[in-house]
Amino acid sequence: MKDIENRNRDRFKISPKDVKWSVRVFILSAISAFVFGILAYVLMLTFAEPEPVSEVIISTASAATAKVVATSDYISPMWAIFIFNSIAASCAVIGTGLFMMVHKMLISDINIRPKYRLYARFSILFEKTIMPVNRLLIEITNLADRDFSSIGRSDQDKKGTIWQYCGYGKDEYRMFAYMIPYTVPLLILIVNGFLMGILFAFFTFNGAMTGLQLFGMEGIAIGIVYNVIYFFISIVPHGIIEIPIILVAAALGYRFAYIQAHDVIDKELFTGNDIETLKKDASYIFDTTKEYILSGYTLKMLGIIILTLLIAAYIETYVTLGIVEKVMQELDGYVDLLLS
């Protein structure tokens, strides 16, 4: 019996594969945002004067840090940074599990439709309207996850089943149930990667523009190198701790999502045609969710993540700035020698 319990606990433990998934999504998001940002700045520069473009660049960077800046008016910047990073990490770990409550809401909604036919008609109309978006998500998931195709299609007639009151069938719901657990860790990684990429684009493009304005065409490379060094030295001291920890938090969420998604296939969840079967399958999902959230491993990892983020916030507030000042003073000296 204890062996079974240990195996159940161990299944939530992350592996290198889970961390690699987080790293891959984060890097792809950052690269995509960087390319998008550079292209956007180039297009704006093509059709606008440099001054408005500079204002857009500065406002982009300000927006990326606005929440921390606003909060730091009321509490220490260190605590502001720590709070927002902890919220992101907690959402990746615990929020991924809590997001499974969406099944309860959806099944409750399906349950009332036979009693309220007019509501059911409007719901079906709405669901059919957004079905192209769902098909797009299915195609993307099918390309990204080879296991997704294992769900298959039953092509069963919905007439006489609970699915006749929906704008989708049980196959679509099962696909949705497979995809939905990945939502939170994906969003956490995409948002953080996007911010990183946009900020890097800001520093790169702003450096190029500054170098161009000060030294002409020859100054573009100098401006880019200068700003890129500034960007990385502003992030590395605390980011070397903060970024991996966020990736680990997302990996925890991904591990849970992987289990939930594959339970849809392995346990043949949501294959029934009546509301009671759907409720039973949802209960299984919730039991797994409860087991994950309350497991000693999850709580221990969350505690380690939050403590480490506190250390990173301290470094960012009280150490990083000093390192930046020293490094940039040295760099300014080299630039002066180069231009003299």
Side-chain angles (χ1 to χ4, degrees):
M1 187 69 178
K2 284 187 177 181
D3 289 340
I4 295 174
E5 291 178 359
N6 288 333
R7 280 199 300 271
N8 287 337
R9 284 195 295 267
D10 289 345
R11 66 180 179 149
F12 297 122
K13 290 185 177 180
I14 58 174
S15 66
K17 172 189 170 185
D18 305 318
V19 177
K20 285 178 183 176
W21 178 86
S22 288
V23 172
R24 186 166 62 248
V25 173
F26 178 79
I27 290 176
L28 286 174
S29 301
I31 292 173
S32 300
F34 173 77
V35 172
F36 172 80
I38 291 294
L39 288 175
Y41 291 145
V42 169
L43 286 173
M44 283 189 290
L45 185 61
T46 303
F47 298 104
E49 295 297 322
E51 288 76 13
V53 175
S54 297
E55 291 177 7
V56 171
I57 292 174
I58 293 169
S59 64
T60 301
S62 300
T65 56
K67 62 183 186 299
V68 173
V69 173
T71 308
S72 63
D73 290 338
Y74 305 96
I75 59 176
S76 163
M78 185 193 85
W79 290 108
I81 293 166
F82 168 68
I83 287 170
F84 282 106
N85 285 339
S86 296
I87 289 173
S90 298
C91 285
V93 179
I94 302 299
T96 303
L98 295 178
F99 198 59
M100 292 302 96
M101 292 300 294
V102 71
H103 285 294
K104 185 174 183 179
M105 293 186 290
L106 289 173
I107 292 173
S108 296
D109 175 68
I110 295 172
N111 189 33
I112 66 172
R113 293 188 184 189
K115 302 174 188 176
Y116 303 97
R117 300 298 178 90
L118 183 61
Y119 169 72
R121 289 195 191 99
F122 279 112
S123 297
I124 291 171
L125 180 62
F126 172 74
E127 287 156 1
K128 287 185 175 180
T129 302
I130 64 171
M131 194 54 67
V133 177
N134 183 61
R135 292 195 193 98
L136 177 62
L137 291 174
I138 288 172
E139 290 299 323
I140 293 172
T141 307
N142 202 33
L143 290 172
D145 188 345
R146 65 183 65 181
D147 295 337
F148 183 69
S149 59
S150 301
I151 294 177
R153 288 186 174 275
S154 62
D155 295 324
Q156 183 181 355
D157 188 1
K158 294 196 294 184
K159 190 174 182 180
T161 72
I162 193 66
W163 302 110
Q164 69 180 327
Y165 302 103
C166 304
Y168 51 86
K170 67 180 176 183
D171 293 330
E172 286 79 17
Y173 191 91
R174 295 189 74 223
M175 292 177 185
F176 171 80
Y178 185 99
M179 293 185 290
I180 200 67
Y182 295 105
T183 303
V184 175
L186 264 175
L187 285 176
I188 295 294
L189 291 170
I190 289 172
V191 168
N192 279 277
F194 184 83
L195 288 175
M196 183 69 71
I198 285 293
L199 284 174
F200 189 43
F202 156 70
F203 277 93
T204 302
F205 197 81
N206 193 48
M209 287 189 63
T210 302
L212 177 65
Q213 291 169 357
L214 293 177
F215 310 112
M217 293 297 293
E218 295 178 356
I220 292 177
I222 296 173
I224 290 174
V225 171
Y226 184 92
N227 270 24
V228 167
I229 291 174
Y230 180 77
F231 174 79
F232 281 106
I233 204 65
S234 300
I235 289 177
V236 169
H238 60 274
I240 201 170
I241 298 173
E242 181 183 300
I243 294 173
I245 283 297
I246 294 294
L247 296 178
V248 167
L252 276 164
Y254 169 77
R255 180 60 190 165
F256 167 75
Y258 182 90
I259 291 169
Q260 287 280 36
H262 285 76
D263 276 349
V264 173
I265 298 173
D266 299 337
K267 308 295 182 184
E268 297 185 349
L269 300 179
F270 305 113
T271 55
N273 294 313
D274 59 273
I275 198 68
E276 293 305 319
T277 303
L278 295 181
K279 288 181 179 179
K280 182 180 177 182
D281 291 340
S283 294
Y284 181 87
I285 292 285
F286 300 147
D287 288 343
T288 305
T289 300
K290 183 179 178 181
E291 182 187 346
Y292 162 72
I293 292 176
L294 298 180
S295 72
Y297 176 76
T298 301
L299 296 176
K300 179 180 72 175
M301 288 297 293
L302 182 60
I304 293 171
I305 287 168
I306 290 175
L307 179 61
T308 309
L309 287 174
L310 179 60
I311 296 170
Y314 177 86
I315 294 172
E316 183 173 357
T317 307
Y318 299 109
V319 178
T320 298
L321 185 59
I323 295 174
V324 170
E325 288 178 352
K326 289 181 180 179
V327 172
M328 297 315 292
Q329 283 176 1
E330 293 289 331
L331 186 60
D332 287 341
Y334 285 120
V335 172
D336 290 339
L337 287 173
L338 187 65
L339 297 175
S340 60

